[in-house]
């Protein structure tokens, strides 16, 4: 059975050496001292490794079953979910007014990472609830908040979001689900939604669906979409559960991965719903949930890669195959372990350098969300808006790639289900698709985010990189060469790509959009390069200060040098592709494919 141990030391390094969390002027961050975060992360990791990880293969093997209209989750999931709830893990950053602990979103992000690595399908039940909670908290009425949020914070009730229909995915303006207003102010919703993660289950007594639908007579297209709360079981005025609502499970989807999560087709037949916010402004409210979810999905990308990497390292240390080309390393054994071979090392270093860089980028993203929400920092809000499609798209693409790379370490054994490596790859694959397929993330980045607020956020990003390089150069020539010079070159590639879009995008939009995917990956590499430069600086400073664990910081520097030398130069390749324009991409007529 695969192993998993929370990398708490690395998580602490990002929180304190890199982000210096407890020193920030954000409300609540003064409580995030090393002892406190260590205690939280140790307990989170313990629950992940001892309770959730053993259920990962069980969920994959058993899946969810629909029996007489009731969804049954895999063996052990209910008990584990109760343990998660009772430990207060679902309410870490929720408002104390609704039973939450009020911790920063950064702390919630870090504490949830081990749960995702250990059992991604399981964690989705509470992860989606957190997003639904946030949407109601941001856009719901006081009465709606009082009715739903206390139970959702504790996951006594869970939540979902319902966007997709059989005939429309990304183009939500095509949806057909309708919401007919009633005299009492409620609505009756009729239609079908598909691909609804955690759509129904036996873990809780109620599921609170957030459903996009159109009110008859409203504007056409996306401007006519509204958002509704549609409980599985209606809630009485005194907070008790009442009658079953008109929403049923049509079927559970048979999927490539995340078998332990109930991905449902939901049929709404005059189901009672309650409008959130203004009519025809549903996308504004839903994006509160989706933007949070996209950061969470970006975390899923590297968290699955982390779990796969840990197992690949153990296998590479134990599996005996051949002899090292530079001379025998284990003469007492019939062969040397896999890890002596350069190509195995390359593979593992690709994984390690990505995972650690992506963790830093995700935590930084969570920090920016806290700064934006808790201090009303418009610059932080603009920056995380710019970075969200990069974190989601780049990290899930690379996370899947790294899970496959980890599987490759095992050779044929990686293709056998017994090893568990197949599940990491299969589970990681969905993250590239849901919460906005990665091609759409790239279009959003190039088509909307670059020009947002006159382009000031991307310019601020470039200025931040430039200032960082200036402030940290000249102290160590080797550090400059290994970290700062590669970051400068990659940043210039990214700026050149942006300039190409500006010069060519208006007269031929295909020139920009045909390069959008490359630009998203280029941006992702620059972000990880920036994170590695920051981590390298922190490690260098720790060593200079006489850190007791010198080996940890030396390992961090060596891993960073690898990324800067072997991965960051990919920006030049992506720039060449972008500057080749749209002609080769659009050359064929549709009939020629």
């Amino acid at each position: 059975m695969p192993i998993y141990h929370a990398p708490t030391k690395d998580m602490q390094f990002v929180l304190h050496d890199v982000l210096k969390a407890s020193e920030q002027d954000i409300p609540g961050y003064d409580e995030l001292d090393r002892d406190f975060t260590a205690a939280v992360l140790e307990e989170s990791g313990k629950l992940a490794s001892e309770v959730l990880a053993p259920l990962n293969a069980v969920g994959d093997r058993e899946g969810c079953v629909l029996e007489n209209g009731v969804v049954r989750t895999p063996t052990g999931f209910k008990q584990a979910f109760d343990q998660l709830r009772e430990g207060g893990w679902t309410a870490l950053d929720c408002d104390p007014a609704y039973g939450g602990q009020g911790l920063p979103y950064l702390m919630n992000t870090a504490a949830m990472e081990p749960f995702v690595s250990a059992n991604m399908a399981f964690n989705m039940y509470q992860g989606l609830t957190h997003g639904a909670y946030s949407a109601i908290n941001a856009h719901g009425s006081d009465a709606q908040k009082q009715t739903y949020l206390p139970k959702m914070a504790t996951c006594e009730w869970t939540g979902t979001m319902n966007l997709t229909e059989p005939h429309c995915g990304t183009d939500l303006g095509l949806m057909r689900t309708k919401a007919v207003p009633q005299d009492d102010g409620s609505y009756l919703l009729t239609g079908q939604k598909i691909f609804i993660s955690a759509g129904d289950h036996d873990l809780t007594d109620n599921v609170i669906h957030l459903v996009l639908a159109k009110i008859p007579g409203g504007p056409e297209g996306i401007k006519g979409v509204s958002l509704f709360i549609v409980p599985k079981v209606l809630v009485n005025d005194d907070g008790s559960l009442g009658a079953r609502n008109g929403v049923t499970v049509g079927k559970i989807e048979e999927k490539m991965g995340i078998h332990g999560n109930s991905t449902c087709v939901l049929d709404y037949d005059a189901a009672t719903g309650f409008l959130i916010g203004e009519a025809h402004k549903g996308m504004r409210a839903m994006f509160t949930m989706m933007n949070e979810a996209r950061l969470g999905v970006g975390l899923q990308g590297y968290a699955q890669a982390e779990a796969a990497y840990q197992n690949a390292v153990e296998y590479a240390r134990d599996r005996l195959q051949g002899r090292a080309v530079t001379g025998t390393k284990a003469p007492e054994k019939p062969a040397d372990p896999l890890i002596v071979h350069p190509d195995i090392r390359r593979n593992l270093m690709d994984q390690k350098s990505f995972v650690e860089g992506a963790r830093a980028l995700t935590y930084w993203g969570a920090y920016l969300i806290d700064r934006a929400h808790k201090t009303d920092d418009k610059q932080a809000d603009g920056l995380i808006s710019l970075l969200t499609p990069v974190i989601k798209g780049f990290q899930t693409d690379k996370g899947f790639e790294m899970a496959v790379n980890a599987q490759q370490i095992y050779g044929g054994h990686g293709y056998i289900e017994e090893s568990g490596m197949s599940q990491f790859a299969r589970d990681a694959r969905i993250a590239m698709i849901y919460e906005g397929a990665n091609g759409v993330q790239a279009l959003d980045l190039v088509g909307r985010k670059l020009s947002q607020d006159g382009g000031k956020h991307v310019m601020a990003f470039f200025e931040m990189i430039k200032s960082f390089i200036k402030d940290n150069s000249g102290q160590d020539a080797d550090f400059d060469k290994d970290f700062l010079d590669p970051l400068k070159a990659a940043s210039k590639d990214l700026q050149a790509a942006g300039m190409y879009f500006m010069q060519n995008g208006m007269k031929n939009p295909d020139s920009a959009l045909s390069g959008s995917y490359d630009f998203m990956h280029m941006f992702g590499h620059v972000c990880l390069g920036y994170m590695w430069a920051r981590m390298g600086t922190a490690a260098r400073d720790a060593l200079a200060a006489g850190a007791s664990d010198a080996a940890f910081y030396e390992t961090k520097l060596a891993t960073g040098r690898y990324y800067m030398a072997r991965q960051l130069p990919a920006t030049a390749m992506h720039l060449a592709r972008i500057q080749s324009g749209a002609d080769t991409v659009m050359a064929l007529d549709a009939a020629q494919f």
Side-chain angles (χ1 to χ4, degrees):
M1 184 173 69
I3 56 121
Y4 172 72
H5 301 291
T8 52
K9 192 165 189 175
D10 193 72
M11 297 160 79
Q12 285 281 84
F13 169 73
V14 176
L15 289 174
H16 298 290
D17 293 63
V18 181
L19 297 179
K20 300 186 183 302
S22 62
E23 301 173 27
Q24 301 299 324
D25 61 349
I26 302 173
Y29 271 53
D30 58 333
E31 300 178 13
L32 303 183
D33 60 65
R34 286 182 183 268
D35 290 342
F36 175 76
T37 59
V40 173
L41 296 179
E42 288 293 340
E43 288 303 311
S44 170
K46 183 178 179 181
L47 181 61
S49 61
E50 295 181 3
V51 177
L52 304 187
L55 292 175
N56 199 35
V58 175
D60 188 53
R61 182 174 62 251
E62 293 185 10
C64 296
V65 180
L66 179 61
E67 296 177 341
N68 299 320
V70 178
V71 175
R72 307 292 183 192
T73 53
T75 302
F77 270 43
K78 179 67 167 67
Q79 293 80 3
F81 198 74
D82 289 344
Q83 195 168 340
L84 189 78
R85 291 194 310 100
E86 291 162 5
W89 294 104
T90 65
L92 284 183
D93 67 328
C94 294
D95 191 334
Y98 305 115
Q101 299 179 42
L103 291 175
Y105 181 61
L106 171 62
M107 196 64 233
N108 182 75
T109 300
M112 292 303 110
E113 180 192 322
F115 300 160
V116 179
S117 288
N119 197 324
M120 178 172 153
F122 174 91
N123 191 68
M124 290 170 63
Y125 290 102
Q126 70 92 15
L128 287 158
T129 304
H130 190 281
Y133 165 98
S134 296
I136 296 173
N137 195 29
H139 302 282
S141 66
D142 289 341
Q144 288 171 339
K145 294 176 186 180
Q146 292 295 336
T147 298
Y148 300 105
L149 295 190
K151 298 285 190 180
M152 295 176 74
T154 60
C155 273
E156 292 173 78
W157 300 344
T158 59
T160 71
M161 59 174 163
N162 287 227
L163 291 81
T164 309
E165 299 184 8
H167 57 283
C168 74
T170 301
D171 191 353
L172 294 172
L174 298 175
M175 72 174 56
R176 297 171 184 161
T177 300
K178 64 179 180 179
V180 179
Q182 304 299 297
D183 292 340
D184 63 358
S186 67
Y187 292 77
L188 294 183
L189 277 74
T190 300
Q192 185 180 79
K193 297 290 184 176
I194 65 170
F195 304 156
I196 309 306
S197 299
D200 197 61
H201 50 78
D202 56 0
L203 304 179
T204 61
D205 294 331
N206 206 0
V207 181
I208 310 304
H209 302 293
L210 297 192
V211 186
L212 287 177
K214 289 185 173 181
I215 300 171
E220 292 297 318
I222 199 68
K223 294 181 179 180
V225 172
S226 302
L227 183 64
F228 300 88
I229 297 174
V230 186
K232 170 185 172 180
V233 181
L234 293 169
V235 181
N236 296 322
D237 291 340
D238 63 0
S240 63
L241 294 180
R244 177 67 187 261
N245 206 355
V247 52
T248 56
V249 180
K251 70 171 182 175
I252 297 177
E253 302 286 6
E254 294 289 334
K255 310 185 297 291
M256 176 180 176
I258 54 168
H259 295 153
N261 196 267
S262 53
T263 307
C264 298
V265 173
L266 294 180
D267 294 315
Y268 292 85
D269 184 9
T272 299
F274 307 94
L275 180 68
I276 300 181
E278 298 178 50
H280 317 310
K281 303 291 185 182
M283 290 308 298
R284 180 186 304 170
M286 183 60 83
F287 268 112
T288 298
M289 187 173 184
M290 290 178 68
N291 285 332
E292 177 184 308
R294 284 170 178 169
L295 187 82
V297 173
L299 186 151
Q300 287 180 339
Y302 82 78
Q304 286 298 285
E306 167 71 48
Y309 164 74
Q310 289 188 18
N311 287 275
V313 169
E314 290 301 307
Y315 190 81
R317 287 172 175 159
D318 294 339
R319 175 72 168 176
L320 303 179
Q321 288 283 285
R323 292 294 187 185
V325 294
T326 54
T328 298
K329 304 301 181 185
E332 76 285 2
K333 297 179 180 178
D336 288 332
L338 279 173
I339 203 165
V340 307
H341 302 300
D343 193 61
I344 296 294
R345 292 290 188 96
R346 173 204 58 77
N347 191 336
L348 291 173
M349 287 298 286
D350 280 351
Q351 296 171 55
K352 180 177 174 63
S353 63
F354 163 72
V355 167
E356 294 178 15
R359 174 177 296 115
L361 177 58
T362 302
Y363 288 14
W364 182 47
Y367 156 84
L368 290 173
I369 289 174
D370 278 331
R371 179 163 289 284
H373 290 175
K374 293 177 179 291
T375 71
D376 198 30
D377 186 324
K378 301 302 183 185
Q379 184 174 349
D381 189 53
L383 187 54
I384 190 56
S385 178
L386 172 70
L387 295 177
T388 294
V390 179
I391 292 172
K392 194 281 183 186
F394 177 74
Q395 289 187 183
T396 57
D397 276 355
K398 300 300 286 187
F400 172 70
E401 179 185 332
M402 296 308 148
V404 171
N405 284 359
Q407 185 184 33
Q408 187 75 11
I409 297 287
Y410 280 67
H413 292 285
Y415 201 64
I416 303 301
E417 291 295 340
E418 183 180 357
S419 72
M421 300 307 288
S422 166
Q423 184 183 356
F424 293 129
R426 289 185 286 103
D427 286 358
R429 184 64 182 88
I430 185 56
M432 300 162 68
I433 298 172
Y434 60 17
E435 303 304 339
N438 286 355
V440 176
Q441 300 299 321
L443 295 178
D444 177 49
L445 174 64
V446 171
R448 293 179 62 246
K449 298 301 174 61
L450 288 185
S451 60
Q452 189 173 7
D453 296 328
K456 72 176 185 180
H457 303 303
V458 72
M459 296 307 297
F461 176 83
F462 289 135
E463 185 59 35
M464 180 178 58
I465 299 288
K466 181 179 178 181
S467 296
F468 176 85
I469 293 171
K470 180 181 178 181
D471 292 344
N472 290 279
S473 62
Q475 303 174 40
D476 182 332
D478 287 338
F479 186 86
D480 290 358
K481 175 175 64 69
D482 294 342
F483 285 89
L484 302 183
D485 291 348
L487 177 59
K488 182 186 296 185
S491 180
K492 287 183 176 179
D493 286 342
L494 188 64
Q495 292 178 65
M499 185 62 67
Y500 176 85
F501 291 153
M502 288 179 60
Q503 294 172 345
N504 297 275
M506 291 298 292
K507 58 186 177 184
N508 182 7
D510 286 342
S511 293
L513 299 186
S514 63
S516 60
Y517 212 90
D518 281 287
F519 187 80
M520 180 180 73
H521 273 250
M522 180 190 289
F523 211 142
H525 278 298
V526 173
C527 285
L528 260 63
Y530 175 50
M531 291 297 104
W532 270 115
R534 289 181 64 174
M535 288 190 284
T537 301
R540 180 192 65 182
D541 292 348
L543 289 169
S548 58
D549 192 356
F552 173 84
Y553 294 105
E554 288 166 354
T555 300
K556 191 64 66 176
L557 283 167
T559 307
R561 289 190 192 99
Y562 180 89
Y563 192 89
M564 305 306 268
R566 300 283 302 223
Q567 293 295 318
L568 195 53
T571 58
M573 174 193 70
H574 290 299
L575 177 60
R577 289 175 173 175
I578 289 168
Q579 292 178 335
S580 72
D583 289 348
T584 56
V585 175
M586 306 301 293
L588 299 183
D589 291 331
Q592 292 178 286
F593 282 92

